[in-house]
Amino acid sequence: MKTIIAKYGTAITGLVILVVLILFARNFASSANMLNVLKNTSFLTILAVGFTFALITSELDLSFANIASLAAVVTGGMIYSGIAWPLAALAGLAVGLVAGYVNGLVVTVAKVPSLIATLGTASIAGGLAFMLTGGVAFVGRWDPVFLSLARGKVGPVPVLIFFMAAVVIAGWFVSRKTPLGVHMLATGEATEAAHRAGIATRRMKRIGLTLSGLAAGIAAVLLVASLSSAAPQMAGDYLLNAIAAVLLGMTMFEPGRPNIAGTFVGALIISVLDNGLVLLGAPYYLQDIMLGLIVIGSVSVSASVLKKAAFSV
Amino acid sequence: MSLTDAAAAPGLATSEALRVRGATKTYGAVEALRGADLTVRRGTVHAVCGDNGAGKSTLIKLISGVEAPDGGEISVDGRPVHFADPHAALAAGIATIHQDLGLAPRMAIYQNIFMGSELTRRILGVPVLRRRAMIARSAEFLAQLNSAITDMTVPVDTLSGGQRQAVAICRALRWKAETIIMDEPTAALGVRETAQVLALIRRLREQGVTVILISHNMADVVAVADSVTILRAGRTVLERATEGLDADSLSHLILFVGAEAA
């Protein structure tokens, strides 16, 4: 019973919240609103899956939101200046990938703790995004095929939901079913033991941070297509939301350990809460307060499972 | 099993598993090793003893590939080797079992045993873990050591100290290690667990595995080791069979043999 609560307590709480909102929030349960919530969760989930990989190797990434903004501006700027959108989209993905790899190098080669390293690269990416745009947004005529990446629907279901599902399933598969996944896990759980077992632990940390950057690139391209514009700081709001989703996810399924299934459910809970609070007419600042409580509460729950501080710098 | 075959072949049973000649290692101003020798015969349990600071840990670091010697020579099966990292030592058949650092406490037994060398199959070219096969093989390895553990999916931090040593040994067996270095395997253990670990060591020898045992516990050494190397101030001062030694006489040797040379 105790382990059931430890493993599924958060998810059950999420279900209870869902039921309460269905009963008391007007329009919440409509299929249009449900699909809308899922659609809006997709950016959050994709970014959070990336952050999960960094955290699995026991490294923090505070730069993914600014990297996503930079990637968005690069993609948007290229389309704006008339370059074919597939190239621009690839460039956005490449920006995320390279920025994530740079994070990995700074952490594993220059030996800067990831908290500080990614705080630095976050600032650099944010600055570059402003430099490229001159501080304004790219808006204009966009190829409808490109826009359909994020706005298209299969039947009633937005395409974004399929992108989210693909990222979650791929992330779950890699982390749980492949040697790469367990090597990353072992690196995060016991770096010295993993190293002595022949695992290239620094490489695993680089891969974790690179995947976080790549996820930022994917989210960025979809965000540009969804909003048909690109502005510096456009992904900034996702930073704490995505981190909260991952930390909340660490309280379920594999308590104390970042895991993709937990991240997905964590992102869903946060989106549902956000949406529900709006529909209930709660003031907007309540979302921020709630987010802060989720972050602190989750880490304290994880810490009690781990019987030590959940994070150290 | 191949391990048992090696033990059965009389020619191999007396050959050299490992030889160190004149190893030196300096850390800044500290000369940790000033000419250490070590000869370990295949299929035996060989103890390395010495007081604190005698150079035991440094010598083990060189053999297990954690560090490279400044001078001297290491050979495995008569062939000179240069280990760039612990992985190279593993590839040469030398596995090291450390007191605490070897296992991931919150990961499952089978994940620890197969850490770094998981069983996989390719699905559309992608390597996919074979969880059930790893669980089954882990149970076999542990049974080989007469261990009573049955559930391979529980985290290692739920096991006793002796059981953790068994899991660590299974990882070495998984690597097909011919030589297993055990660094103070009984240091943190109670009486019953110590007896279990000594039984594990005997079991390994029966299966033809060479064991290098680093220990402060003289009673353990005389109980399981066939031969012993005594280090003092970074040099090998004695290498002999343990036959005829008891814990007291071994302590005496460690304290006084070669004392005038240091």
Side-chain angles (χ1 to χ4, degrees):
Chain A
M1 186 63 198
K2 215 173 153 190
T3 53
I4 289 175
I5 290 177
K7 277 188 170 180
Y8 303 109
T10 311
I12 292 167
T13 311
L15 279 179
V16 171
I17 292 171
L18 197 63
V19 170
V20 169
L21 288 174
I22 288 171
L23 292 178
F24 297 106
R26 271 173 58 98
N27 299 329
F28 177 81
S30 73
S31 61
N33 187 55
M34 287 290 190
L35 284 173
N36 197 37
V37 169
L38 269 180
K39 186 183 149 201
N40 288 333
T41 314
S42 54
F43 304 114
L44 175 60
T45 303
I46 291 168
L47 290 167
V49 165
F51 184 77
T52 308
F53 273 108
L55 203 56
I56 283 175
T57 68
S58 201
E59 298 298 344
L60 289 167
D61 181 2
L62 301 182
S63 66
F64 63 83
N66 278 7
I67 288 174
S69 295
L70 176 62
V73 163
V74 167
T75 298
M78 285 174 74
I79 297 179
Y80 188 72
S81 57
I83 294 167
W85 72 263
L87 272 179
L90 277 180
L93 297 181
V95 166
L97 195 74
V98 170
Y101 188 69
V102 168
N103 276 335
L105 290 180
V106 174
V107 170
T108 61
V109 180
K111 311 268 187 208
V112 181
S114 55
L115 175 80
I116 304 298
T118 57
L119 210 52
T121 52
S123 183
I124 294 170
L128 287 175
F130 269 101
M131 187 182 88
L132 288 177
T133 58
V136 295
F138 293 118
V139 270
R141 286 170 177 276
W142 305 72
D143 188 327
V145 181
F146 174 65
L147 298 183
S148 71
L149 278 183
R151 295 177 172 186
K153 286 185 176 181
V154 179
V157 185
V159 176
L160 272 179
I161 294 175
F162 291 102
F163 276 111
M164 171 174 71
V167 168
V168 168
I169 291 168
W172 175 83
F173 178 81
V174 169
S175 68
R176 292 298 301 272
K177 296 290 170 190
T178 68
L180 176 67
V182 282
H183 290 178
M184 292 173 75
L185 176 64
T187 299
E189 286 278 332
T191 307
E192 187 60 33
H195 175 65
R196 293 191 183 197
I199 294 171
T201 51
R202 294 198 300 164
R203 184 163 162 258
M204 291 305 132
K205 287 173 181 286
R206 283 197 291 275
I207 291 175
L209 287 163
T210 304
L211 287 176
S212 186
L214 176 63
I218 295 171
V221 172
L222 295 175
L223 207 53
V224 171
S226 169
L227 301 176
S228 68
S229 67
Q233 289 300 327
M234 74 189 290
D237 283 349
Y238 285 104
L239 179 64
L240 196 57
N241 276 288
I243 291 176
V246 175
L247 297 180
L248 194 56
M250 284 177 69
T251 66
M252 51 189 136
F253 307 133
E254 297 175 60
R257 187 182 281 170
N259 66 92
I260 300 293
T263 293
F264 179 47
V265 176
L268 282 178
I269 291 176
I270 287 172
S271 287
V272 163
L273 269 176
D274 273 357
N275 180 262
L277 287 173
V278 169
L279 292 181
L280 288 172
Y284 68 95
Y285 50 77
L286 210 58
Q287 295 182 9
D288 286 349
I289 295 172
M290 179 197 76
L291 212 54
L293 292 175
I294 287 176
V295 167
I296 294 170
S298 305
V299 173
S300 90
V301 169
S302 294
S304 75
V305 173
L306 299 174
K307 298 186 184 72
K308 60 172 187 181
F311 296 96
S312 56
V313 178
Chain B
M1 297 208 71
S2 59
L3 294 175
T4 338
D5 294 344
L12 286 173
T14 52
S15 68
E16 261 174 34
L18 181 80
R19 178 190 282 262
V20 179
R21 276 293 163 265
T24 58
K25 182 75 186 176
T26 310
Y27 300 99
V30 182
E31 285 183 280
L33 287 182
R34 305 193 288 180
D37 302 325
L38 177 69
T39 308
V40 181
R41 285 178 303 126
R42 180 170 299 288
T44 63
V45 177
H46 189 103
V48 177
C49 296
D51 213 341
N52 288 338
K56 301 187 298 287
S57 321
T58 308
L59 181 59
I60 294 316
K61 280 179 186 161
L62 304 187
I63 304 171
S64 59
V66 174
E67 287 178 5
D70 295 335
E73 188 176 272
I74 302 172
S75 51
V76 174
D77 296 329
R79 285 184 298 275
V81 289
H82 300 278
F83 298 143
D85 52 41
H87 208 195
L90 274 174
I94 301 175
T96 309
I97 295 170
H98 301 273
Q99 277 181 63
D100 310 312
L101 298 169
L103 299 173
R106 298 201 316 128
M107 291 175 74
I109 292 174
Y110 81 91
Q111 288 177 317
N112 269 284
I113 290 177
F114 283 91
M115 186 185 289
S117 66
E118 294 79 7
L119 297 179
T120 58
R121 64 170 156 256
R122 290 197 171 264
I123 297 178
L124 304 174
V126 180
V128 178
L129 297 170
R130 296 175 61 202
R131 182 171 181 272
R132 263 180 295 177
M134 287 192 278
I135 289 172
R137 287 292 288 143
S138 296
E140 285 172 32
F141 283 131
L142 278 167
Q144 210 174 323
L145 298 173
N146 285 345
S147 165
I149 309 169
T150 50
D151 185 354
M152 298 299 132
T153 62
V154 299
V156 164
D157 63 7
T158 61
L159 302 179
S160 73
Q163 290 173 325
R164 287 183 208 193
Q165 290 284 343
V167 171
I169 291 171
C170 285
R171 175 174 321 147
L173 294 176
R174 154 68 185 142
W175 282 103
K176 298 190 173 64
E178 290 161 352
T179 301
I180 297 181
I181 303 170
M182 299 181 76
D183 189 1
E184 298 284 0
T186 60
L189 302 184
V191 178
R192 181 199 294 264
E193 293 186 337
T194 297
Q196 284 170 355
V197 170
L198 296 184
L200 285 175
I201 293 173
R202 293 196 185 94
R203 186 93 185 143
L204 286 172
R205 177 175 51 193
E206 282 168 25
Q207 304 193 358
V209 177
T210 309
V211 177
I212 300 175
L213 173 68
I214 293 80
S215 183
H216 267 105
N217 188 315
M218 301 308 137
D220 290 357
V221 170
V222 294
V224 294
D226 300 299
S227 46
V228 57
T229 293
I230 296 177
L231 295 175
R232 165 182 290 280
R235 285 196 181 86
T236 298
V237 290
L238 183 69
E239 201 158 68
R240 62 161 283 177
T242 53
E243 209 170 358
L245 285 178
D246 58 23
D248 284 343
S249 52
L250 181 58
S251 301
H252 192 267
L253 289 176
I254 290 169
L255 285 172
F256 299 110
V257 170
E260 66 282 357

